[in-house]
C-alpha cells in the first residue's frame, strides 16, 4: 500500500526536477508555490485531525464536563442540569501573561440560556500520550449573567494565564450550575 502512494509522489518529483532546469520559468515558480501551499494545508489538517482525535478521547472518558482542544477547532456538546449546551472555543491568541480566547455557550434545547456559573480548567497535554498534564493546570470560575431578553447564546472572554497558545493543550468546562439571582445581579445601593 505504501509503495502505491510513493510511486506517484516519486514520479511527480522526477517530473518537477526536469522542470527545475528552467527555474526562471514563471509556471515553474507558480507550481512550486502551489506545492508549498498544499504542504501547509496538509500539515494544518493533520494537526487538526490529531487534536480532534484527542478531544474525542477525552470527552468519551468522562461524563461530567467537556474538553476542548484548541487545535481541533470543533464544538463540544455538554449535558448539564440546565439542558444540553454547545461549547465553542475561538482561536487562541497570545497576550502578555499567556493566552486569550472566547468561550461561546449556546443552548441546544430551544430554551433560553439561563444565568449560570461554570469552572474552567486549562493546561498542557503530554506530547507523547495526548493526556492532560493536571499538575500544572490552572482554574477560573466564569459566569453568564441573567439577561432581560431571552438569549440562546453567550460569549465569555477567557484569560488563560501561564501558557502561550502553543503550550495550551486543553480547556475543560465543568461544574455548570444555575446562578441564583443574587449571584448575577448587582447589589442594590444602601439608602441611609
Amino acid at each position: 500500500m505504501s509503495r502505491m502512494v510513493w510511486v506517484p509522489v516519486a514520479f511527480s518529483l522526477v517530473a518537477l526536477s526536469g522542470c527545475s532546469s528552467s527555474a526562471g520559468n514563471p509556471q515553474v515558480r507558480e507550481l512550486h508555490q502551489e506545492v508549498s501551499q498544499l504542504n501547509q494545508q496538509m500539515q494544518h489538517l493533520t494537526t487538526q485531525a490529531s487534536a480532534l482525535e484527542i478531544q474525542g478521547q477525552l470527552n468519551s472518558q468522562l461524563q461530567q464536563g467537556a474538553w476542548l482542544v484548541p487545535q481541533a477547532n470543533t464544538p463540544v456538546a455538554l449535558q448539564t442540569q440546565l439542558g444540553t449546551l454547545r461549547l465553542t472555543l475561538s482561536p487562541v491568541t497570545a497576550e502578555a501573561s499567556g493566552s486569550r480566547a472566547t468561550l461561546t455557550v449556546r443552548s441546544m434545547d430551544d430554551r433560553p440560556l439561563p444565568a449560570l456559573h461554570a469552572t474552567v480548567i486549562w493546561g498542557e497535554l503530554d506530547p507523547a500520550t495526548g493526556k492532560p498534564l493536571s499538575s500544572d493546570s490552572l482554574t477560573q470560575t466564569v459566569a453568564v449573567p441573567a439577561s432581560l431578553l431571552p438569549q440562546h447564546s453567550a460569549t465569555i472572554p477567557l484569560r488563560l494565564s501561564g501558557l502561550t497558545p502553543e503550550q495550551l493543550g486543553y480547556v475543560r468546562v465543568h461544574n455548570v450550575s444555575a446562578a441564583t439571582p443574587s449571584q448575577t445581579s448587582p447589589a442594590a445601593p444602601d439608602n441611609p
Side-chain angles (χ1 to χ4, degrees):
M1 174 76 178
S2 63
R3 280 191 207 166
M4 294 177 65
V5 172
W6 287 107
V7 171
V9 172
F11 179 70
S12 299
L13 290 175
V14 170
L16 285 175
S17 67
C19 296
S20 67
S21 62
S22 57
N25 187 342
Q27 292 173 335
V28 172
R29 280 190 299 237
E30 184 179 324
L31 185 59
H32 283 287
Q33 287 176 343
E34 288 178 20
V35 169
S36 175
Q37 288 173 351
L38 287 173
N39 283 336
Q40 289 174 354
Q41 290 173 352
M42 189 66 158
Q43 184 177 6
H44 173 73
L45 289 173
T46 302
T47 301
Q48 186 176 7
S50 175
L52 191 55
E53 183 178 342
I54 291 169
Q55 179 173 286
Q57 289 172 353
L58 290 171
N59 283 309
S60 70
Q61 294 173 2
L62 294 175
Q63 297 300 320
Q64 298 293 322
W67 297 79
L68 294 154
V69 176
Q71 294 81 9
N73 197 24
T74 304
V76 173
L78 174 62
Q79 300 290 332
T80 71
Q81 63 185 7
L82 307 173
T84 304
L85 303 176
R86 179 180 177 192
L87 306 175
T88 308
L89 192 65
S90 72
V92 179
T93 58
E95 73 172 14
S97 64
S99 301
R100 175 177 33 165
T102 301
L103 177 67
T104 302
V105 180
R106 183 178 221 29
S107 172
M108 294 179 61
D109 297 339
D110 290 331
R111 293 186 295 183
L113 192 64
L116 59 88
H117 285 153
T119 302
V120 175
I121 299 174
W122 65 96
E124 295 182 76
L125 292 174
D126 183 330
T129 64
K131 298 206 184 289
L133 297 173
S134 57
S135 61
D136 295 327
S137 65
L138 299 162
T139 303
Q140 68 177 291
T141 300
V142 297
V144 172
S147 173
L148 294 176
L149 297 174
Q151 61 180 357
H152 291 280
S153 68
T155 56
I156 303 168
L158 298 177
R159 300 191 90 171
L160 308 168
S161 62
L163 296 173
T164 64
E166 294 78 24
Q167 295 171 316
L168 182 66
Y170 68 90
V171 174
R172 180 174 178 234
V173 180
H174 68 111
N175 290 341
V176 177
S177 61
T180 61
S182 64
Q183 291 175 315
T184 59
S185 59
D190 294 332
N191 290 332

